[in-house]
């Protein structure tokens, strides 16, 4: 890493984009059900499918949400760790990374049920745990490597994961297979990941696939470098859009060459594709919010982006869809479905649930209540 210098002002677009991501995490499932209720029309079913993960190979909007959050975490750590190093030293920054990763990891275990069903049923790896490990890996690399070294690490992670899945044989199956339960990542989980796995004997946030998740965070670090640089604002947007398109093209080229885009094992082609779309969206958010100054328009996203962990836990502990039904269900939903269009009532219920999340985030933001990890 280059010598530390005073960090520039906060990039509000990062907070807004983080909030945009979290809003879909807490409300996307309800919208998918609402879209399905609109009937068999092609537009509605297409939109409904976008809020569900691809069965295995392929890519939908829902498959972008999680890696985009990891990408944003990488961009944000450039600013936070630079400030810590400037004020204190690298040792303190490293301790901060480790403590934050441990807390996030523990919260992830608790989120997934903790020890309520016995140690043998603890889900040791999950969404928050993956964010913790990706942040830990990328953060440590950021502290002790210069940008050129980070680029080497990024290539090593992506190419190394490809090589492992392509050339290391799975017992009883062979090498180079990417189907579910026939690939090295799933096999590794079945043999070495203790506790409860999300998919029975393997997990979408498993052991080996943590390596390319660190690469996703590192791609966010490079985005953070660009945001932190003295490059003109207009050029930053252009670079984000151009690099995003280049990453998307590289992802599909790798997919065509035989390394398919699969979210559930976080393939390297999937990393590039998700990072490409994340870079494009970051360029748009940066242009609209930090350049054009449309902060009022993005206020709900900013509120959520300042308290993402709080909203994530609230969505786990409180069934917002059931809460929404208390206001929009029953005869109201029937009236909308019969008077306007089938599915309108379900759509209102889903949007009401998302509104509850926004209102809670706004309340916490105005009271300056933030859950810091």
């Amino acid at each position: 890493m280059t010598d530390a210098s005073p960090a520039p002002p906060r990039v509000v677009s990062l907070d807004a984009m983080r909030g945009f991501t979290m809003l879909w995490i807490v409300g996307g499932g309800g919208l998918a059900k609402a879209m399905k209720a609109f009937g068999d029309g092609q537009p509605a079913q297409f939109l409904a499918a976008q809020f569900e993960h691809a069965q295995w190979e392929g890519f939908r909007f829902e498959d972008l949400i999680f890696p985009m959050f990891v990408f944003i975490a990488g961009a944000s750590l450039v600013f936070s760790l630079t400030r810590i190093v400037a004020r204190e030293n690298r040792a303190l920054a490293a301790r901060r990374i480790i403590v934050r990763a441990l807390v996030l990891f523990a919260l992830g275990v608790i989120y997934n049920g903790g020890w309520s069903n016995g140690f043998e049923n603890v889900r040791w790896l999950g969404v928050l745990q993956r964010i913790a490990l990706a942040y830990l890996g990328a953060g440590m690399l950021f502290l002790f490597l210069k940008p050129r070294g980070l680029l080497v690490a990024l290539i090593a992670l992506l190419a190394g994961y490809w090589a492992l899945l392509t050339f290391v044989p799975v017992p009883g199956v062979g090498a180079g297979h990417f189907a579910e339960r026939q690939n090295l990542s799933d096999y590794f989980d079945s043999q070495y990941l203790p506790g409860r796995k999300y998919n029975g004997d393997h997990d979408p946030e498993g052991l080996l696939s943590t390596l390319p998740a660190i690469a996703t965070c590192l791609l966010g670090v490079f985005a953070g470098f660009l945001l932190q640089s003295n490059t003109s604002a207009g050029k930053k947007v252009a670079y984000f859009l151009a690099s995003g398109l280049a990453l998307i093209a590289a992802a599909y080229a790798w997919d065509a060459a035989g390394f398919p885009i699969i979210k559930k094992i976080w393939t390297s082609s999937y990393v590039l594709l998700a990072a490409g779309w994340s870079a494009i969206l970051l360029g748009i958010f940066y242009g609209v919010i930090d350049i054009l100054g449309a902060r009022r328009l993005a206020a709900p996203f900013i509120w959520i982006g300042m308290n993402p962990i709080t909203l994530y836990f609230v969505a786990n502990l409180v069934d917002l869809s059931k809460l929404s039904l208390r206001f929009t269900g029953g005869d109201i939903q029937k009236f909308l479905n019969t008077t306007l269009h089938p599915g309108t009532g379900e759509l209102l219920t889903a949007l009401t649930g998302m509104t509850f999340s926004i209102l809670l985030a706004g309340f916490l933001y105005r009271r300056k209540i933030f859950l810091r990890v």
Side-chain angles (χ1 to χ4, degrees):
M1 189 183 72
T2 55
D3 292 336
S5 57
R10 190 178 190 93
V11 180
V12 181
S13 53
L14 280 176
D15 295 324
M17 191 170 163
R18 188 185 302 111
F20 171 80
T21 305
M22 184 54 62
L23 185 61
W24 294 117
I25 290 175
V26 300
L31 282 178
K33 293 178 182 177
M35 289 295 103
K36 284 183 176 181
F38 266 80
D40 297 327
Q42 189 172 359
Q45 294 309 305
F46 172 79
L47 288 173
Q50 294 308 305
F51 293 105
E52 296 179 341
H53 291 296
Q55 289 290 325
W56 190 251
E57 293 187 28
F59 189 82
R60 297 175 181 174
F61 178 74
E62 185 71 13
D63 298 312
L64 172 61
I65 301 302
F66 186 13
M68 185 160 61
F69 196 95
V70 177
F71 180 92
I72 297 166
S76 299
L77 72 80
V78 173
F79 294 88
S80 61
L81 294 182
T82 297
R83 282 193 291 267
I84 295 173
V85 172
R87 289 197 310 263
E88 305 291 342
N89 51 54
R90 278 183 174 80
L92 186 65
R95 187 174 70 181
R96 160 71 173 160
I97 292 170
I98 294 170
V99 170
R100 187 166 191 258
L102 287 173
V103 172
L104 269 176
F105 194 95
L107 287 174
V109 173
I110 293 169
Y111 180 91
N112 287 293
W115 298 269
S116 58
N117 296 311
F119 281 100
E120 69 278 6
N121 291 312
V122 172
R123 189 179 176 208
W124 293 107
L125 294 181
V127 171
L128 289 179
Q129 296 97 310
R130 167 144 295 180
I131 295 171
L133 294 173
Y135 173 82
L136 176 65
M140 286 300 188
L141 290 170
F142 169 79
L143 280 183
F144 298 106
L145 294 178
K146 294 182 177 180
R148 186 174 296 179
L150 292 175
L151 180 60
V152 172
L154 172 66
I155 294 172
L157 286 166
L158 294 176
Y161 188 60
W162 163 78
L164 284 172
L165 266 62
T166 301
F167 299 114
V168 177
V170 175
V173 178
H177 294 274
F178 304 108
E180 189 171 10
R181 291 186 173 85
Q182 295 183 32
N183 62 81
L184 186 67
S185 182
D186 286 354
Y187 172 77
F188 209 78
D189 287 346
S190 69
Q191 296 298 307
Y192 304 110
L193 178 59
R196 175 170 57 91
K197 272 79 76 174
Y198 189 82
N199 290 319
D201 62 351
H202 61 283
D203 201 288
E205 284 80 49
L207 292 168
L208 272 187
S209 58
T210 299
L211 297 175
I214 295 173
T216 296
C217 202
L218 279 179
L219 283 163
V221 168
F222 284 105
F225 283 148
L226 178 56
L227 287 173
Q228 195 184 54
S229 72
N230 294 323
T231 306
S232 68
K235 284 187 177 180
K236 287 179 182 178
V237 173
Y239 288 151
F240 277 127
L241 298 180
S243 61
L245 291 173
L247 287 168
I248 291 171
Y252 282 114
W254 210 346
D255 175 75
F259 198 29
I261 296 166
I262 305 173
K263 186 264 180 189
K264 292 183 179 180
I265 54 173
W266 215 279
T267 56
S268 302
S269 53
Y270 167 73
V271 170
L272 296 182
L273 182 57
W277 281 113
S278 298
I280 289 173
L281 285 171
L282 181 54
I284 294 171
F285 270 77
Y286 181 74
V288 172
I289 297 171
D290 289 299
I291 297 178
L292 298 180
R295 296 191 180 189
R296 183 172 298 180
L297 182 66
F301 296 144
I302 295 171
W303 300 340
I304 297 173
M306 294 294 290
N307 251 321
I309 302 301
T310 303
L311 271 294
Y312 190 64
F313 265 87
V314 167
N316 177 261
L317 299 173
V318 179
D319 191 332
L320 293 177
S321 61
K322 287 185 177 180
L323 180 61
S324 301
L325 283 171
R326 294 174 182 264
F327 298 89
T328 64
D331 290 337
I332 295 175
Q333 197 170 87
K334 291 178 183 177
F335 173 79
L336 292 173
N337 287 340
T338 55
T339 305
L340 298 178
H341 191 283
T344 307
E346 287 80 1
L347 179 60
L348 177 62
T349 299
L351 292 175
T352 302
M354 295 178 78
T355 301
F356 286 151
S357 297
I358 294 171
L359 291 175
L360 174 60
F363 172 81
L364 296 173
Y365 183 86
R366 286 189 293 272
R367 297 295 188 278
K368 300 186 184 303
I369 301 171
F370 305 110
L371 176 59
R372 305 289 189 187
V373 177

